[in-house]
Amino acid sequence: MSRYPITLLLAFLLGCAIIACAATASKTAKPAELPARDLQIEAPEQSRAGTPLQIVVRTTPLTATSPILLMAQGTFGLYPQRQMPVNGSATFTLPALQTQYAGMVQLTANDGAAKVQATLEILPGAPADPVLPLIGPRSIVADGKHWTVVVASVRDRFLNPVVDNTVVTLRVQHPLRPGADPITGYEIVETRTQHLVAWQRIYSRTQAGEMRISVDGGKAHSPERTVREVPGRPVPFALSANPLSLPADGRQLIQLQSEQIVDRFGNVLLDGSSVTVLAEMGDADHRSLPAITVDGRIYTTLQAPAQPGQMTVRAWIAGISSRPLQLTFTPGPAVKPIALTVQIDAQAIVLVAGPLIGQLEQFIPDGTEVTFTLKAPDGQAITSSAPADYGYATLHLHRPGMVAGNYTVTATVGTGTGQVTFQLS
């Protein structure tokens, strides 16, 4: 057989097959989709956070078959869904996972031909634990005038700030004086949330100590927060010294301390408060000694100057001065009380002062002048001096010419004094 008849036969069969496929395709093709002329969204205006939402989109006409795309955009982000309408409506669900976040939700429905928009609001839920207050400053003066601020963000279980005007209660326990009824220091302050937070000033009272604060809103509570109510500026106070007098030897120390320092409400000044002690002796000696308070008092030491005289000491705290304290620094060395002996014979009276010893039980330096004052029976006083030699000073008096009666002898050197009485007949 010739190859041309075979080629014609194959071409005929291929054409029949194409015609058959086209006929089959025309029988199974889907009908064209019918877009809506108008769309309408049915959704609640408001809903609570965490509640699933049902949204219905209705079509006009009811026979519209074009798929509807619903876009929900809110604080959770963008959430798209697509459905075919049935009998003029398509029902969408916004799950609880997407409604946890409070705020406005923009709904947009679109089938390619018609478009519609609507909004709904997701409201915060009830206050939930914990409320976490912020407080500052954490230290205020206990004078009834200074204050601290409490700021609290009250949130629901999804961490949304609760709606404005929610009642928030602050409970405050102020410091108490010893023996006082706790209820006298208890304070309840109510405020309301505005712009996502609640805030309130808490004023100090006049007793220093620890203020304790808690915050609650609805059934939500907070941990405890504390603020220190501290003493204010002190009132003038007194200093004391032991001893009040020393020899001006440039070595020995005087112990200085104050009475307990308080503010005008009787609160004891805090430990560690900075103090400056100023000591002045005319133009000869000016000193500034740093110190701190312990148990509300000042404790420090002051070294004796090398020159005798009067020294004025004051302590300064926060611009408040103590009352002035006067210290005396005498000339000569430190000498313990002086023993005096009297030796009487026909021609002379010998006065011996000694041993002349200092605070370390040592002899005072040789050559130190010891002053002897002799008071006669008629009241007349005669003063003479003698040098110290190996801890003793001796004065010889010529007896002839001295009247009968009682005589008093006083010896002084440095800080030491001694006295003895004898009789002449």
Side-chain angles (χ1 to χ4, degrees), residues 71-91:
M71 305 284 288
Q73 185 167 11
T75 52
F76 52 80
L78 184 65
Y79 187 69
Q81 300 180 68
R82 185 186 295 272
Q83 283 196 34
M84 298 288 293
V86 177
N87 296 327
S89 68
T91 301

Side-chain angles (χ1 to χ4, degrees), residues 201-212:
R201 291 181 180 179
I202 302 296
Y203 282 84
S204 68
R205 295 191 177 176
T206 57
Q207 175 62 35
E210 186 176 74
M211 177 200 300
R212 297 182 294 122

Side-chain angles (χ1 to χ4, degrees), residues 125-137:
D129 290 331
V131 179
L132 298 177
L134 301 176
I135 298 180

Side-chain angles (χ1 to χ4, degrees), residues 383-394:
T383 300
S384 299
S385 62
D389 183 25
Y390 274 93
Y392 289 83
T394 303

Side-chain angles (χ1 to χ4, degrees), residues 174-182 184 206-209 265-268:
H174 291 276
L176 299 172
R177 297 194 180 275
D181 187 345
T184 61
T206 57
Q207 175 62 35
F265 300 107
N267 298 304
V268 177

